[in-house]
Amino acid sequence: MLVVQKYGGSSVANAELIRNVSRRIARRVAAGDRVVAVVSAMGDTTDDLLALAQSITDEPNPRELDMLVATGEQVSCALVAMALQAIGVDAVSLTGQQAGIFTGSQQHQAGRVSRVEGDRVRQELEAGRTPVVAGFQGITEDFEIVTLGRGASDLTGIVLAIALGADRYENCKDVTGIYTTDPRIEPLARQLKDITYEEMLELATQGSQVMHNRAVELASVYNLPIMVTSSMVDAPGTLIHGGTELEERNRVRAIAHDTDVAKVTVRQVPDRPGIAAHIFEPLAEAGISVDTIVQNASDHNLTDLTFTIGRKDLKRTEALMPSICQSVGAGSYVANGELGKVSIVGVGIQTAHGYAARMFRTLYDAGINIELITTSEIRLTCIIEAAKVHDAVRALHAAFELEKAE
């Protein structure tokens, strides 16, 4: 069996953990599996490198920033390869470039994989070696290093697994699987045996740190099974798959949360065609991703338009807002950078009765005000005060009785 495994930063945070990872890989190789390992930077290395760049300049050049932070994964893959060699496993470390991961443009810190030329990795496997690949990075046609976004070592692993025709992708973490919510917030959180791609994609998009959302999306397109399991202990994990249901289950499977939300409201916007484009095009050109958008009903041909962004983008957004307001003839804007969101996720909850009402009543009973509400077919999300997010998670987990076995 050909398996691509990814080990996150907490799994390779120090020398002893790296030796532990190498022993786990060695056991799989000894059992007859062919393994490609993808590794993240050690522990908080990426954060430390970003802080170092900020100590040099408030606005680091994006190209140089990618050159800097890509080194974290290169350190990890070299050390894991050394650890494997030390216990008798023939291994080789590869950068993103050497593994043949190409990105389509020079959009630094948010590269998109355009293709994978997996010949080098295949050659190493055929020679009996175990490739250890640096995650989180690719290269453009002009041989510029581009990183794929925070947490995107999963994306590296998934695209390699697809390109190599792997039987399974394994996300090896410091937890044993996917839980009904973050067990650090709610101790009664329960590990799930399995979850669908659609549910996992919603959880990842709404703040769950278990999987990268683009990685889940790609796996669903190619029907690649994902096993989320522990890198520390031997325990059953959680399978992410495309399983079908004869009938919608009509139940909440898990709760996601995110405390990194900012809200911007543009006041007294003229209600005429093209206004929304004039507001959001400058943000898109600046590389600012907009999440929720809500427009109030028009009053005297004027309306308020509200949107949410990541808190890290608020400073750049506020720098653009005066010129945007002037260009569309809006009265003013206001911003709030202290928000978060909480989401309930499960196939069928949008078409079933009572889920929205129970969510809203639970938050009301907990004294939590709802700023905005967004929905999808399998998700309900409330934007709330960031300081109340953890209280909301615990209250909703209890209200939907997620601690009980399915």
Side-chain angles (χ1 to χ4, degrees):
M1 182 166 70
L2 174 58
V3 177
V4 176
Q5 293 185 325
K6 189 224 67 174
Y7 291 92
S10 58
S11 298
V12 292
N14 56 48
E16 182 51 42
L17 289 172
I18 287 173
R19 285 191 287 267
N20 173 66
V21 163
S22 69
R23 290 191 291 267
R24 297 182 71 85
I25 296 171
R27 287 197 293 270
R28 293 294 291 272
V29 173
D33 290 337
R34 294 184 300 159
V35 178
V36 177
V38 175
V39 293
S40 299
M42 298 173 63
D44 297 325
T45 296
T46 301
D47 288 335
D48 293 341
L49 290 172
L50 289 170
L52 183 59
Q54 288 289 333
S55 71
I56 300 297
T57 172
D58 290 337
E59 296 184 4
N61 178 280
R63 178 191 181 276
E64 305 309 331
L65 200 58
D66 271 356
M67 287 285 287
L68 175 67
V69 298
T71 62
E73 278 69 20
Q74 293 176 33
V75 169
S76 295
C77 72
L79 291 173
V80 172
M82 291 177 191
L84 284 166
Q85 293 162 6
I87 57 175
V89 177
D90 193 1
V92 58
S93 61
L94 300 172
T95 65
Q97 175 185 357
Q98 291 170 322
I101 298 172
F102 284 82
T103 62
S105 67
Q106 293 187 28
Q107 187 174 357
H108 291 283
Q109 287 85 62
R112 295 274 174 168
V113 177
S114 59
R115 73 180 195 278
V116 177
E117 295 182 356
D119 292 345
R120 173 69 184 276
V121 179
R122 292 189 192 94
Q123 289 169 7
E124 300 295 351
L125 288 167
E126 290 168 2
R129 284 186 282 273
T130 297
V132 184
V133 180
F136 175 60
Q137 61 185 255
I139 194 164
T140 69
E141 301 296 336
D142 298 327
F143 299 102
E144 290 288 335
I145 293 175
V146 172
T147 60
L148 308 178
R150 291 304 299 267
S153 290
D154 266 329
L155 191 59
T156 302
I158 289 291
V159 297
L160 278 172
I162 292 168
L164 298 170
D167 298 288
R168 191 163 77 175
Y169 173 74
E170 296 179 356
N171 183 0
C172 305
K173 302 178 67 66
D174 57 355
V175 294
T176 56
I178 299 167
Y179 285 74
T180 49
T181 196
D182 189 336
R184 294 170 297 183
I185 296 174
E186 174 49 80
L188 295 178
R190 175 177 48 82
Q191 183 178 325
L192 298 170
K193 179 182 178 182
D194 70 326
I195 193 169
T196 66
Y197 292 125
E198 292 81 6
E199 290 167 330
M200 190 65 240
L201 181 57
E202 288 285 9
L203 289 172
T205 303
Q206 298 307 316
S208 171
Q209 302 297 311
V210 175
M211 285 286 302
H212 194 282
N213 58 347
R214 284 156 54 199
V216 177
E217 188 174 17
L218 267 178
S220 70
V221 170
Y222 289 90
N223 199 28
L224 174 69
I226 300 172
M227 177 61 74
V228 178
T229 187
S230 173
S231 65
M232 310 291 183
V233 297
D234 292 324
T238 301
L239 181 66
I240 306 173
H241 61 94
T244 57
E245 298 285 336
L246 293 177
E247 186 176 358
E248 289 182 337
R249 290 172 296 193
N250 291 336
R251 63 172 181 264
V252 176
R253 300 297 311 285
I255 296 171
H257 73 281
D258 188 358
T259 55
D260 182 26
V261 179
K263 180 182 74 171
V264 177
T265 298
V266 189
R267 303 287 196 193
Q268 296 180 310
V269 180
D271 190 6
R272 63 174 185 265
I275 287 294
H278 287 299
I279 291 174
F280 293 112
E281 282 175 349
L283 299 176
E285 290 169 1
I288 297 169
S289 179
V290 174
D291 185 12
T292 304
I293 302 173
V294 176
Q295 181 171 320
N296 294 342
S298 178
D299 183 16
H300 297 94
N301 292 321
L302 294 175
T303 184
D304 289 348
L305 190 150
T306 299
F307 60 90
T308 62
I309 54 176
R311 190 176 298 133
K312 64 180 174 56
D313 291 327
L314 182 57
K315 184 176 179 180
R316 290 191 297 141
T317 300
E318 289 197 274
L320 293 170
M321 289 313 299
S323 62
I324 291 174
C325 289
Q326 184 177 11
S327 69
V328 301
S332 62
Y333 79 93
V334 293
N336 183 349
E338 302 299 325
L339 296 176
K341 59 184 175 181
V342 62
S343 306
I344 59 173
V345 175
V347 171
I349 64 173
Q350 183 74 315
T351 56
H353 299 293
Y355 285 94
R358 193 190 305 183
M359 183 179 193
F360 303 153
R361 168 57 68 175
T362 299
L363 295 178
Y364 170 74
D365 289 343
I368 299 170
N369 184 52
I370 300 172
E371 300 266 348
L372 295 171
I373 300 167
T374 67
T375 67
S376 76
E377 290 184 358
I378 64 171
R379 169 185 57 81
L380 287 168
T381 298
C382 293
I383 308 296
I384 61 176
E385 183 184 346
K388 300 283 189 179
V389 166
H390 289 188
D391 292 338
V393 168
R394 287 186 285 266
L396 291 168
H397 197 275
F400 289 102
E401 301 179 326
L402 296 185
E403 72 281 0
K404 295 183 178 179
E406 296 175 334

